[in-house]
Coordinates of all heavy atoms in Angstrom, one line a residue:
M1 N 7.5 -18.1 -6.8 CA 8.9 -18.0 -6.7 C 9.3 -16.5 -6.7 O 8.5 -15.7 -6.9 CB 9.6 -18.6 -7.9 CG 9.3 -20.2 -8.0 SD 9.7 -21.1 -6.5 CE 11.5 -20.9 -6.2
L2 N 10.5 -16.3 -6.5 CA 11.0 -14.9 -6.3 C 11.1 -14.2 -7.7 O 11.5 -14.9 -8.7 CB 12.3 -14.8 -5.6 CG 12.4 -15.3 -4.3 CD1 13.9 -15.3 -3.8 CD2 11.6 -14.6 -3.4
K3 N 10.7 -13.1 -7.8 CA 10.9 -12.4 -9.2 C 12.1 -11.5 -9.1 O 12.1 -10.5 -8.3 CB 9.6 -11.5 -9.4 CG 9.6 -10.7 -10.7 CD 8.4 -9.9 -10.8 CE 8.4 -9.0 -12.0 NZ 7.2 -8.2 -12.1
G4 N 13.1 -11.9 -9.7 CA 14.4 -11.1 -9.7 C 15.1 -11.2 -8.4 O 16.1 -10.6 -8.2
G5 N 14.6 -12.0 -7.5 CA 15.3 -12.2 -6.2 C 15.4 -11.0 -5.3 O 16.2 -11.0 -4.4
S6 N 14.6 -10.0 -5.6 CA 14.7 -8.8 -4.9 C 13.9 -8.8 -3.6 O 12.7 -9.1 -3.5 CB 14.0 -7.7 -5.8 OG 14.1 -6.4 -5.2
M7 N 14.6 -8.6 -2.5 CA 14.0 -8.6 -1.1 C 14.7 -7.5 -0.3 O 16.0 -7.4 -0.5 CB 14.2 -9.9 -0.5 CG 13.3 -11.0 -1.1 SD 13.4 -12.4 0.1 CE 11.9 -13.3 -0.5
A8 N 13.9 -6.8 0.4 CA 14.7 -5.7 1.2 C 13.8 -5.3 2.4 O 12.7 -5.7 2.5 CB 14.8 -4.4 0.3
I9 N 14.5 -4.6 3.3 CA 13.8 -4.0 4.5 C 14.1 -2.5 4.3 O 15.0 -2.1 3.7 CB 14.3 -4.5 5.8 CG1 15.7 -4.2 6.0 CG2 14.0 -6.0 5.9 CD1 16.2 -4.6 7.4
F10 N 13.1 -1.7 4.8 CA 13.4 -0.2 4.8 C 12.5 0.4 5.9 O 11.6 -0.2 6.4 CB 13.1 0.4 3.4 CG 11.5 0.2 3.0 CD1 10.7 1.3 3.2 CD2 11.2 -0.9 2.4 CE1 9.4 1.2 2.9 CE2 9.8 -1.1 2.0 CZ 8.9 0.0 2.2
E11 N 12.9 1.6 6.3 CA 12.3 2.3 7.3 C 11.6 3.5 6.8 O 12.1 4.2 5.9 CB 13.3 2.8 8.5 CG 12.7 3.4 9.6 CD 12.7 4.9 9.5 OE1 13.4 5.5 8.7 OE2 11.9 5.5 10.3
K12 N 10.4 3.8 7.2 CA 9.6 5.0 6.8 C 8.8 5.5 8.0 O 7.9 4.8 8.4 CB 8.8 4.7 5.5 CG 8.1 5.8 5.0 CD 7.3 5.4 3.8 CE 6.5 6.6 3.1 NZ 5.8 6.2 2.0
G13 N 9.0 6.7 8.4 CA 8.1 7.3 9.4 C 8.2 6.5 10.7 O 7.2 6.4 11.4
G14 N 9.4 6.1 11.0 CA 9.5 5.4 12.4 C 9.1 3.8 12.3 O 9.1 3.2 13.3
R15 N 8.6 3.4 11.2 CA 8.1 2.0 11.0 C 9.0 1.3 10.1 O 9.5 1.8 9.1 CB 6.6 2.0 10.6 CG 5.7 2.9 11.3 CD 4.9 2.4 12.4 NE 4.3 1.1 12.1 CZ 3.9 0.3 13.1 NH1 4.0 0.7 14.3 NH2 3.3 -0.8 12.8
W16 N 9.2 0.0 10.3 CA 10.0 -0.9 9.4 C 9.1 -1.8 8.5 O 8.1 -2.3 9.0 CB 11.0 -1.6 10.2 CG 12.1 -0.8 10.7 CD1 12.2 -0.1 11.8 CD2 13.4 -0.6 10.0 NE1 13.4 0.6 11.9 CE2 14.1 0.3 10.8 CE3 13.9 -1.1 8.8 CZ2 15.4 0.6 10.4 CZ3 15.1 -0.7 8.4 CH2 15.9 0.2 9.2
Y17 N 9.6 -1.9 7.3 CA 8.8 -2.6 6.3 C 9.7 -3.6 5.7 O 10.9 -3.5 5.6 CB 8.3 -1.7 5.2 CG 7.3 -0.7 5.7 CD1 7.8 0.5 6.3 CD2 5.9 -0.8 5.4 CE1 6.8 1.4 6.8 CE2 5.1 0.1 5.9 CZ 5.5 1.2 6.5 OH 4.5 2.1 7.0
V18 N 9.0 -4.7 5.2 CA 9.7 -5.7 4.3 C 9.1 -5.5 2.9 O 7.9 -5.3 2.8 CB 9.5 -7.2 4.8 CG1 10.2 -7.4 6.1 CG2 8.1 -7.5 4.9
D19 N 10.0 -5.8 1.9 CA 9.6 -5.6 0.5 C 10.1 -6.8 -0.2 O 11.4 -7.1 -0.2 CB 10.3 -4.3 0.0 CG 9.9 -4.0 -1.4 OD1 9.2 -4.7 -2.1 OD2 10.3 -3.0 -1.9
Y20 N 9.2 -7.6 -0.9 CA 9.6 -8.8 -1.5 C 8.6 -9.1 -2.6 O 7.6 -8.6 -2.7 CB 9.7 -9.9 -0.4 CG 8.4 -10.2 0.3 CD1 7.5 -11.1 -0.1 CD2 8.1 -9.5 1.4 CE1 6.3 -11.3 0.5 CE2 7.0 -9.6 2.1 CZ 6.1 -10.6 1.7 OH 4.9 -10.8 2.3
Y21 N 9.0 -10.2 -3.3 CA 8.1 -10.7 -4.4 C 7.7 -12.1 -4.1 O 8.5 -12.9 -3.6 CB 8.8 -10.7 -5.7 CG 8.9 -9.4 -6.4 CD1 10.0 -8.5 -6.2 CD2 7.9 -9.0 -7.2 CE1 10.0 -7.2 -6.7 CE2 8.0 -7.7 -7.8 CZ 9.0 -6.9 -7.6 OH 9.1 -5.6 -8.1
A22 N 6.5 -12.4 -4.2 CA 6.0 -13.8 -4.0 C 4.9 -14.1 -5.1 O 4.0 -13.2 -5.3 CB 5.4 -13.9 -2.6
D23 N 5.0 -15.2 -5.6 CA 4.0 -15.6 -6.7 C 3.8 -14.5 -7.7 O 2.7 -14.3 -8.3 CB 2.5 -15.8 -6.1 CG 2.6 -17.0 -5.1 OD1 3.4 -17.9 -5.3 OD2 1.8 -17.0 -4.2
G24 N 5.0 -13.9 -8.1 CA 5.0 -12.9 -9.1 C 4.4 -11.6 -8.8 O 4.2 -10.7 -9.6
H25 N 4.1 -11.4 -7.5 CA 3.4 -10.1 -7.0 C 4.4 -9.5 -6.0 O 4.9 -10.1 -5.1 CB 2.2 -10.4 -6.3 CG 1.1 -10.9 -7.3 ND1 0.4 -10.1 -8.1 CD2 0.7 -12.2 -7.4 CE1 -0.4 -10.9 -8.8 NE2 -0.3 -12.2 -8.4
R26 N 4.6 -8.2 -6.1 CA 5.3 -7.4 -5.1 C 4.5 -7.2 -3.9 O 3.3 -6.8 -4.0 CB 5.7 -6.1 -5.7 CG 6.7 -5.3 -4.7 CD 7.2 -4.0 -5.4 NE 8.2 -3.4 -4.6 CZ 8.8 -2.3 -5.0 NH1 8.5 -1.7 -6.1 NH2 9.7 -1.7 -4.2
R27 N 5.1 -7.4 -2.8 CA 4.5 -7.2 -1.5 C 5.3 -6.3 -0.6 O 6.6 -6.4 -0.6 CB 4.3 -8.6 -0.7 CG 3.5 -9.7 -1.5 CD 2.1 -9.3 -1.4 NE 1.7 -9.4 0.0 CZ 0.4 -9.2 0.4 NH1 -0.5 -8.9 -0.4 NH2 0.2 -9.3 1.7
R28 N 4.6 -5.4 0.2 CA 5.3 -4.6 1.1 C 4.5 -4.7 2.4 O 3.2 -4.5 2.4 CB 5.3 -3.1 0.7 CG 6.2 -2.9 -0.4 CD 6.3 -1.5 -0.9 NE 7.3 -1.3 -1.9 CZ 7.4 -0.2 -2.5 NH1 6.6 0.9 -2.2 NH2 8.2 0.0 -3.5
E29 N 5.1 -5.0 3.5 CA 4.4 -5.2 4.8 C 5.1 -4.4 5.9 O 6.3 -4.4 6.0 CB 4.4 -6.7 5.2 CG 3.7 -7.6 4.4 CD 3.8 -9.0 4.9 OE1 3.7 -9.2 6.2 OE2 4.1 -10.0 4.1
C30 N 4.3 -3.7 6.6 CA 4.8 -3.0 7.8 C 4.9 -4.1 8.9 O 3.9 -4.9 9.2 CB 3.9 -1.9 8.3 SG 4.4 -1.1 9.8
V31 N 6.1 -4.2 9.6 CA 6.4 -5.3 10.4 C 6.7 -4.9 11.8 O 6.9 -5.7 12.8 CB 7.4 -6.3 9.9 CG1 6.9 -7.0 8.7 CG2 8.7 -5.6 9.5
G32 N 6.9 -3.7 12.1 CA 7.2 -3.2 13.4 C 8.0 -1.9 13.5 O 8.1 -1.2 12.5
T33 N 8.6 -1.7 14.7 CA 9.3 -0.5 14.9 C 10.8 -0.7 15.0 O 11.6 0.3 15.3 CB 8.8 0.2 16.2 OG1 8.9 -0.7 17.2 CG2 7.4 0.6 16.0
S34 N 11.3 -1.9 14.7 CA 12.8 -2.0 14.8 C 13.3 -2.8 13.6 O 12.6 -3.6 13.0 CB 13.1 -2.8 16.1 OG 12.9 -4.2 15.9
R35 N 14.5 -2.5 13.3 CA 15.2 -3.1 12.1 C 15.3 -4.7 12.4 O 15.1 -5.4 11.5 CB 16.6 -2.5 12.0 CG 17.4 -3.0 10.8 CD 18.7 -2.3 10.7 NE 19.6 -2.9 9.7 CZ 19.5 -2.5 8.5 NH1 18.7 -1.5 8.1 NH2 20.3 -3.1 7.5
A36 N 15.6 -5.1 13.6 CA 15.6 -6.4 13.9 C 14.4 -7.2 13.7 O 14.4 -8.3 13.1 CB 16.1 -6.7 15.4
Q37 N 13.2 -6.6 14.0 CA 12.0 -7.2 13.6 C 11.8 -7.4 12.1 O 11.3 -8.5 11.6 CB 10.7 -6.3 14.1 CG 10.5 -6.4 15.6 CD 9.4 -5.4 16.0 OE1 9.4 -4.2 15.7 NE2 8.4 -5.9 16.7
A38 N 12.2 -6.4 11.4 CA 12.1 -6.4 10.0 C 13.0 -7.5 9.4 O 12.6 -8.2 8.5 CB 12.5 -5.1 9.4
K39 N 14.2 -7.6 9.9 CA 15.1 -8.7 9.4 C 14.5 -10.1 9.7 O 14.5 -11.0 8.8 CB 16.5 -8.5 10.1 CG 17.3 -7.5 9.5 CD 18.7 -7.6 10.2 CE 19.6 -6.7 9.5 NZ 21.0 -6.7 10.0
R40 N 13.9 -10.3 10.9 CA 13.3 -11.5 11.2 C 12.1 -11.8 10.3 O 12.0 -13.0 9.8 CB 12.9 -11.6 12.7 CG 14.1 -11.8 13.6 CD 13.6 -12.1 15.0 NE 12.7 -11.1 15.6 CZ 13.1 -10.0 16.3 NH1 14.4 -9.8 16.5 NH2 12.2 -9.2 16.7
A41 N 11.3 -10.8 10.1 CA 10.2 -11.1 9.2 C 10.5 -11.4 7.8 O 9.9 -12.2 7.2 CB 9.3 -9.8 9.2
L42 N 11.6 -10.7 7.3 CA 12.0 -11.0 5.9 C 12.6 -12.4 5.8 O 12.3 -13.1 4.8 CB 13.1 -9.9 5.4 CG 13.5 -10.1 4.0 CD1 12.3 -9.9 3.1 CD2 14.5 -9.0 3.7
E43 N 13.4 -12.8 6.8 CA 13.9 -14.2 6.8 C 12.8 -15.2 6.8 O 12.8 -16.3 6.1 CB 14.9 -14.4 7.9 CG 16.2 -13.6 7.8 CD 16.9 -13.9 6.5 OE1 17.0 -15.1 6.1 OE2 17.4 -13.1 5.8
S44 N 11.7 -14.8 7.6 CA 10.6 -15.8 7.7 C 9.9 -15.9 6.4 O 9.5 -17.0 5.9 CB 9.6 -15.2 8.8 OG 8.5 -16.0 8.8
R45 N 9.7 -14.7 5.6 CA 9.1 -14.8 4.4 C 9.9 -15.6 3.3 O 9.3 -16.3 2.6 CB 8.9 -13.3 3.8 CG 7.9 -12.5 4.6 CD 6.4 -13.1 4.6 NE 5.6 -12.3 5.4 CZ 5.4 -12.4 6.7 NH1 6.0 -13.4 7.4 NH2 4.6 -11.7 7.4
K46 N 11.2 -15.3 3.4 CA 12.1 -16.2 2.5 C 11.9 -17.6 2.6 O 11.8 -18.3 1.8 CB 13.5 -15.8 2.8 CG 14.0 -14.5 2.2 CD 15.5 -14.3 2.6 CE 16.0 -12.8 2.1 NZ 17.4 -12.7 2.4
G47 N 11.8 -18.1 3.9 CA 11.6 -19.5 4.2 C 10.2 -20.0 3.8 O 10.2 -21.0 3.1
E48 N 9.2 -19.2 4.0 CA 7.9 -19.6 3.6 C 7.8 -19.7 2.0 O 7.2 -20.6 1.4 CB 6.8 -18.6 4.0 CG 6.6 -18.6 5.5 CD 5.8 -17.4 6.0 OE1 5.5 -16.5 5.2 OE2 5.3 -17.4 7.2
I49 N 8.4 -18.7 1.3 CA 8.4 -18.8 -0.2 C 9.2 -19.9 -0.6 O 8.7 -20.7 -1.6 CB 9.1 -17.4 -0.7 CG1 8.0 -16.3 -0.4 CG2 9.2 -17.5 -2.2 CD1 8.6 -14.9 -0.6
A50 N 10.4 -20.2 -0.1 CA 11.2 -21.3 -0.6 C 10.6 -22.7 -0.3 O 10.7 -23.5 -1.1 CB 12.5 -21.3 0.2
Q51 N 9.8 -22.8 0.7 CA 9.0 -24.1 1.0 C 7.7 -24.2 0.4 O 7.0 -25.1 0.5 CB 8.8 -24.2 2.5 CG 10.2 -24.3 3.3 CD 9.9 -24.2 4.8 OE1 8.8 -24.4 5.3 NE2 11.0 -24.1 5.6
G52 N 7.3 -23.1 -0.4 CA 6.0 -23.1 -1.1 C 4.8 -22.9 -0.1 O 3.7 -23.3 -0.5
K53 N 5.1 -22.5 1.1 CA 4.0 -22.3 2.0 C 3.4 -20.9 2.0 O 2.4 -20.8 2.7 CB 4.5 -22.6 3.5 CG 4.9 -24.0 3.7 CD 5.5 -24.2 5.1 CE 5.9 -25.7 5.3 NZ 6.3 -25.9 6.7
F54 N 4.1 -20.0 1.3 CA 3.5 -18.6 1.3 C 2.4 -18.5 0.4 O 2.4 -18.9 -0.7 CB 4.6 -17.7 0.9 CG 4.2 -16.3 1.0 CD1 4.3 -15.6 2.2 CD2 3.7 -15.5 -0.1 CE1 3.9 -14.2 2.3 CE2 3.3 -14.3 0.0 CZ 3.4 -13.6 1.2
K55 N 1.3 -18.0 0.9 CA 0.0 -17.8 0.1 C -0.3 -16.3 0.2 O -0.4 -15.8 1.3 CB -1.1 -18.7 0.6 CG -0.8 -20.1 0.5 CD -0.7 -20.6 -1.0 CE -0.5 -22.1 -1.0 NZ 0.4 -22.5 -2.1
L56 N -0.5 -15.6 -0.9 CA -1.0 -14.3 -0.8 C -2.4 -14.2 -0.3 O -3.2 -15.0 -0.8 CB -0.9 -13.6 -2.2 CG 0.4 -13.3 -2.7 CD1 0.4 -12.7 -4.1 CD2 1.1 -12.3 -1.8
K57 N -2.6 -13.3 0.6 CA -4.0 -13.2 1.2 C -4.6 -12.1 0.4 O -4.1 -11.1 0.2 CB -4.0 -12.8 2.7 CG -3.4 -13.8 3.6 CD -3.2 -13.3 5.0 CE -2.5 -14.3 5.8 NZ -2.2 -13.7 7.1
K58 N -5.9 -12.3 0.1 CA -6.6 -11.1 -0.6 C -7.1 -10.3 0.5 O -8.0 -10.5 1.2 CB -7.8 -11.7 -1.4 CG -7.3 -12.5 -2.6 CD -8.4 -12.6 -3.7 CE -7.7 -13.2 -4.9 NZ -8.5 -13.0 -6.0
T59 N -6.5 -9.1 0.6 CA -6.8 -8.1 1.6 C -7.5 -7.0 1.1 O -7.8 -6.0 1.8 CB -5.6 -7.6 2.4 OG1 -4.7 -7.1 1.4 CG2 -4.8 -8.7 3.1
F60 N -7.9 -7.0 -0.2 CA -8.6 -5.9 -0.7 C -10.1 -6.0 -0.6 O -10.7 -7.1 -0.8 CB -8.2 -5.8 -2.3 CG -6.8 -5.7 -2.5 CD1 -6.1 -6.8 -3.1 CD2 -6.1 -4.5 -2.3 CE1 -4.7 -6.7 -3.3 CE2 -4.8 -4.4 -2.5 CZ -4.1 -5.5 -3.1
K61 N -10.7 -4.9 -0.2 CA -12.1 -5.0 -0.1 C -12.7 -4.0 -1.2 O -12.0 -2.9 -1.5 CB -12.6 -4.6 1.3 CG -12.2 -3.3 1.9 CD -12.6 -3.1 3.3 CE -12.1 -1.7 3.7 NZ -12.6 -1.5 5.1
K62 N -13.8 -4.2 -1.6 CA -14.5 -3.3 -2.6 C -14.8 -2.0 -1.9 O -15.4 -1.9 -0.8 CB -15.6 -3.9 -3.1 CG -15.4 -5.1 -4.0 CD -16.6 -5.7 -4.7 CE -16.2 -6.9 -5.6 NZ -17.3 -7.5 -6.2
V63 N -14.5 -0.9 -2.7 CA -14.8 0.5 -2.2 C -15.5 1.1 -3.3 O -15.0 1.1 -4.5 CB -13.5 1.2 -1.9 CG1 -13.7 2.6 -1.4 CG2 -12.7 0.5 -0.8
S64 N -16.5 1.8 -3.0 CA -17.3 2.6 -4.0 C -16.4 3.7 -4.5 O -15.6 4.2 -3.8 CB -18.6 3.1 -3.5 OG -18.5 4.2 -2.6
F65 N -16.6 4.2 -5.7 CA -16.0 5.3 -6.2 C -16.2 6.6 -5.4 O -15.3 7.3 -5.1 CB -16.3 5.6 -7.7 CG -15.6 6.7 -8.4 CD1 -14.1 6.4 -8.6 CD2 -16.2 7.8 -8.7 CE1 -13.5 7.5 -9.2 CE2 -15.4 8.9 -9.4 CZ -14.2 8.7 -9.6
K66 N -17.4 6.8 -5.0 CA -17.8 7.9 -4.1 C -17.1 7.9 -2.8 O -16.4 8.9 -2.3 CB -19.2 8.0 -3.8 CG -19.6 9.3 -3.0 CD -21.1 9.5 -3.0 CE -21.5 10.7 -2.1 NZ -20.4 11.4 -1.4
A67 N -17.0 6.7 -2.2 CA -16.2 6.6 -0.9 C -14.7 6.9 -1.1 O -14.0 7.6 -0.3 CB -16.4 5.2 -0.4
F68 N -14.2 6.4 -2.3 CA -12.8 6.7 -2.6 C -12.6 8.2 -2.8 O -11.6 8.7 -2.2 CB -12.4 5.9 -3.9 CG -11.0 6.3 -4.4 CD1 -9.9 5.9 -3.8 CD2 -10.9 7.2 -5.4 CE1 -8.6 6.3 -4.2 CE2 -9.6 7.6 -5.9 CZ -8.6 7.1 -5.3
C69 N -13.5 8.8 -3.5 CA -13.3 10.2 -3.7 C -13.5 11.0 -2.4 O -12.6 12.0 -2.2 CB -14.4 10.7 -4.7 SG -14.2 10.2 -6.4
D70 N -14.3 10.6 -1.5 CA -14.4 11.3 -0.2 C -13.1 11.2 0.6 O -12.7 12.2 1.1 CB -15.6 10.7 0.6 CG -16.9 11.0 0.0 OD1 -17.1 11.9 -0.9 OD2 -17.9 10.3 0.3
E71 N -12.6 10.0 0.6 CA -11.4 9.8 1.3 C -10.2 10.7 0.6 O -9.4 11.2 1.3 CB -11.0 8.3 1.3 CG -9.8 8.1 2.2 CD -9.6 6.6 2.5 OE1 -10.6 5.8 2.4 OE2 -8.4 6.2 2.7
Y72 N -10.2 10.6 -0.6 CA -9.2 11.4 -1.4 C -9.3 12.9 -1.0 O -8.2 13.6 -0.9 CB -9.2 11.2 -2.9 CG -8.2 12.0 -3.5 CD1 -6.8 11.7 -3.6 CD2 -8.6 13.3 -4.2 CE1 -5.9 12.6 -4.2 CE2 -7.6 14.1 -4.8 CZ -6.3 13.7 -4.8 OH -5.4 14.6 -5.3
V73 N -10.5 13.5 -1.0 CA -10.6 14.9 -0.8 C -10.1 15.2 0.6 O -9.5 16.2 0.8 CB -12.2 15.3 -1.0 CG1 -12.4 16.7 -0.4 CG2 -12.5 15.2 -2.5
D74 N -10.4 14.4 1.6 CA -9.9 14.6 3.0 C -8.4 14.6 2.9 O -7.8 15.5 3.5 CB -10.4 13.5 3.9 CG -11.8 13.6 4.2 OD1 -12.4 14.6 4.1 OD2 -12.4 12.6 4.7
Y75 N -7.8 13.7 2.2 CA -6.3 13.7 2.1 C -5.8 15.0 1.4 O -4.9 15.7 1.8 CB -5.9 12.5 1.2 CG -4.5 12.7 0.6 CD1 -3.3 12.5 1.4 CD2 -4.4 13.0 -0.7 CE1 -2.1 12.6 0.8 CE2 -3.2 13.1 -1.3 CZ -2.0 13.0 -0.6 OH -0.8 13.1 -1.2
A76 N -6.4 15.3 0.2 CA -6.1 16.5 -0.5 C -6.2 17.8 0.3 O -5.3 18.7 0.2 CB -6.9 16.6 -1.8
R77 N -7.3 18.0 1.0 CA -7.4 19.2 1.9 C -6.3 19.4 2.8 O -5.9 20.5 3.0 CB -8.7 19.1 2.6 CG -9.8 19.7 2.0 CD -11.0 19.8 2.9 NE -12.2 20.2 2.1 CZ -13.2 19.4 2.0 NH1 -13.3 18.3 2.7 NH2 -14.2 19.8 1.2
N78 N -5.7 18.3 3.3 CA -4.7 18.5 4.3 C -3.3 18.5 3.7 O -2.3 18.7 4.5 CB -4.7 17.2 5.2 CG -6.0 17.3 6.1 OD1 -6.4 18.3 6.6 ND2 -6.7 16.2 6.3
T79 N -3.1 18.1 2.4 CA -1.8 18.0 1.9 C -1.5 18.9 0.6 O -0.4 18.9 0.3 CB -1.4 16.6 1.6 OG1 -2.3 16.1 0.7 CG2 -1.4 15.7 2.9
K80 N -2.5 19.4 0.0 CA -2.3 20.0 -1.3 C -2.8 21.4 -1.3 O -3.9 21.6 -0.8 CB -3.1 19.2 -2.4 CG -2.5 17.8 -2.6 CD -3.2 17.0 -3.7 CE -2.8 17.7 -5.0 NZ -3.6 17.0 -6.1
K81 N -2.2 22.3 -1.9 CA -2.5 23.7 -2.1 C -3.7 23.7 -3.1 O -4.6 24.6 -3.1 CB -1.5 24.5 -2.6 CG -0.4 24.7 -1.5 CD 0.6 25.7 -2.0 CE 1.7 26.0 -0.9 NZ 2.8 26.8 -1.3
S82 N -3.7 22.7 -4.1 CA -4.7 22.7 -5.2 C -5.8 21.9 -4.9 O -6.6 21.5 -5.8 CB -3.9 22.3 -6.5 OG -3.6 21.0 -6.3
W83 N -6.2 21.6 -3.7 CA -7.3 20.7 -3.4 C -8.7 21.2 -3.9 O -9.4 20.3 -4.3 CB -7.3 20.5 -1.9 CG -7.8 21.7 -1.0 CD1 -7.0 22.6 -0.5 CD2 -9.1 22.0 -0.7 NE1 -7.7 23.5 0.2 CE2 -9.0 23.2 0.1 CE3 -10.4 21.5 -1.0 CZ2 -10.2 23.8 0.6 CZ3 -11.5 22.0 -0.4 CH2 -11.4 23.3 0.4
R84 N -8.9 22.4 -4.0 CA -10.2 22.9 -4.6 C -10.4 22.5 -6.0 O -11.4 22.2 -6.4 CB -10.2 24.5 -4.4 CG -10.4 24.9 -2.9 CD -10.6 26.4 -3.0 NE -10.8 26.9 -1.6 CZ -9.8 27.2 -0.7 NH1 -8.5 27.1 -1.1 NH2 -10.1 27.6 0.6
R85 N -9.3 22.5 -6.7 CA -9.3 22.0 -8.1 C -9.6 20.6 -8.2 O -10.4 20.0 -9.0 CB -8.1 22.3 -8.9 CG -8.1 21.9 -10.3 CD -6.7 22.2 -11.0 NE -6.8 22.0 -12.4 CZ -6.8 20.7 -13.0 NH1 -6.8 19.7 -12.3 NH2 -6.8 20.6 -14.3
D86 N -9.1 19.8 -7.3 CA -9.4 18.3 -7.2 C -10.9 18.1 -6.9 O -11.5 17.2 -7.4 CB -8.6 17.7 -6.1 CG -7.1 17.7 -6.4 OD1 -6.7 17.9 -7.6 OD2 -6.3 17.3 -5.6
V87 N -11.4 19.0 -5.9 CA -12.9 18.9 -5.6 C -13.7 19.0 -6.9 O -14.7 18.3 -7.1 CB -13.3 19.8 -4.5 CG1 -14.7 19.9 -4.3 CG2 -12.5 19.4 -3.1
T88 N -13.4 20.1 -7.6 CA -14.2 20.4 -8.8 C -14.1 19.2 -9.8 O -15.1 18.8 -10.4 CB -13.6 21.7 -9.5 OG1 -13.8 22.7 -8.5 CG2 -14.4 22.0 -10.8
S89 N -12.9 18.7 -10.0 CA -12.6 17.6 -10.9 C -13.4 16.4 -10.5 O -14.1 15.7 -11.3 CB -11.2 17.3 -11.0 OG -10.4 18.3 -11.6
I90 N -13.4 16.1 -9.2 CA -14.1 14.9 -8.7 C -15.6 15.1 -8.8 O -16.3 14.1 -9.1 CB -13.7 14.7 -7.2 CG1 -12.3 14.1 -7.2 CG2 -14.7 13.7 -6.4 CD1 -11.7 14.0 -5.8
K91 N -16.1 16.3 -8.6 CA -17.6 16.5 -8.8 C -18.0 16.1 -10.2 O -19.1 15.5 -10.4 CB -18.0 18.0 -8.5 CG -18.1 18.3 -7.0 CD -18.4 19.7 -6.8 CE -18.4 20.0 -5.3 NZ -18.7 21.4 -5.0
N92 N -17.2 16.5 -11.2 CA -17.5 16.2 -12.6 C -17.4 14.6 -12.8 O -18.2 14.1 -13.6 CB -16.5 16.9 -13.5 CG -16.9 18.4 -13.6 OD1 -18.1 18.8 -13.5 ND2 -15.9 19.3 -13.6
L93 N -16.4 14.1 -12.2 CA -16.3 12.6 -12.4 C -17.4 11.8 -11.7 O -17.9 10.9 -12.3 CB -15.0 12.2 -11.8 CG -13.7 12.5 -12.6 CD1 -12.5 12.2 -11.7 CD2 -13.6 11.8 -13.9
L94 N -17.9 12.4 -10.7 CA -19.0 11.6 -9.9 C -20.2 11.7 -10.8 O -21.1 10.8 -10.6 CB -19.3 12.2 -8.5 CG -18.2 11.8 -7.5 CD1 -18.4 12.6 -6.2 CD2 -18.4 10.3 -7.2
K95 N -20.4 12.8 -11.6 CA -21.6 12.8 -12.5 C -21.7 11.5 -13.4 O -22.7 11.0 -13.7 CB -21.6 14.1 -13.3 CG -21.9 15.3 -12.5 CD -21.7 16.5 -13.4 CE -21.8 17.8 -12.5 NZ -21.6 19.0 -13.4
D96 N -20.5 11.2 -13.8 CA -20.4 10.1 -14.8 C -20.3 8.6 -14.1 O -20.8 7.7 -14.5 CB -19.3 10.2 -15.8 CG -19.4 11.4 -16.7 OD1 -20.6 11.7 -17.0 OD2 -18.5 12.1 -17.0
F97 N -19.5 8.7 -13.0 CA -19.2 7.3 -12.4 C -20.1 7.1 -11.1 O -20.1 5.9 -10.6 CB -17.7 7.2 -12.0 CG -16.8 7.3 -13.2 CD1 -16.1 8.4 -13.6 CD2 -16.8 6.1 -14.1 CE1 -15.3 8.4 -14.7 CE2 -16.0 6.1 -15.2 CZ -15.2 7.3 -15.5
G98 N -20.6 8.1 -10.5 CA -21.4 8.0 -9.4 C -20.7 7.3 -8.3 O -21.1 6.7 -7.4

């Protein structure tokens, strides 16, 4: 069921998203490049939830700590001035968590 009845659409970076709660979990989905697409998608989700047809898909895949760190370092290098400090911290964490 809906948690707090909160459902919305929003735009970020030229893409439109739907934001809603289903089965007690908050979901955000990128649905296209137009507000109209987002409105249709949100109405569709509302209908699926009301009819009990909506099922959360497990889309998470396991990622090793090292792979996560490698991806984060790539992100940090391109977006943070303090990325060198992050690299040092991650090296120390990898000693313990591998």
Side-chain angles (χ1 to χ4, degrees):
M1 297 310 297
L2 299 179
K3 180 180 176 184
S6 179
M7 294 189 158
I9 61 171
F10 64 96
E11 186 266 340
K12 183 177 179 182
R15 312 267 313 161
W16 282 87
Y17 295 80
V18 293
D19 183 355
Y20 58 93
Y21 283 89
D23 297 330
H25 297 279
R26 185 176 187 180
R27 300 284 296 178
R28 290 181 179 169
E29 293 179 45
C30 179
V31 293
T33 57
S34 76
R35 181 179 177 88
Q37 283 177 309
K39 281 185 171 183
R40 284 192 303 271
L42 186 59
E43 289 304 314
S44 175
R45 294 298 177 271
K46 284 181 183 179
E48 291 170 351
I49 292 167
Q51 294 173 14
K53 294 180 178 178
F54 185 84
K55 300 291 181 213
L56 288 176
K57 296 177 190 170
K58 292 200 174 198
T59 58
F60 302 106
K61 58 182 178 179
K62 292 184 180 183
V63 177
S64 72
F65 185 68
K66 181 169 180 358
F68 171 78
C69 290
D70 291 343
E71 190 170 327
Y72 176 78
V73 168
D74 288 341
Y75 158 80
R77 266 193 192 114
N78 294 317
T79 59
K80 296 179 69 182
K81 290 181 182 179
S82 63
W83 68 270
R84 286 182 181 88
R85 183 179 186 285
D86 293 349
V87 169
T88 301
S89 296
I90 286 172
K91 282 180 184 178
N92 289 322
L93 287 170
L94 283 170
K95 289 176 189 174
D96 293 326
F97 296 107

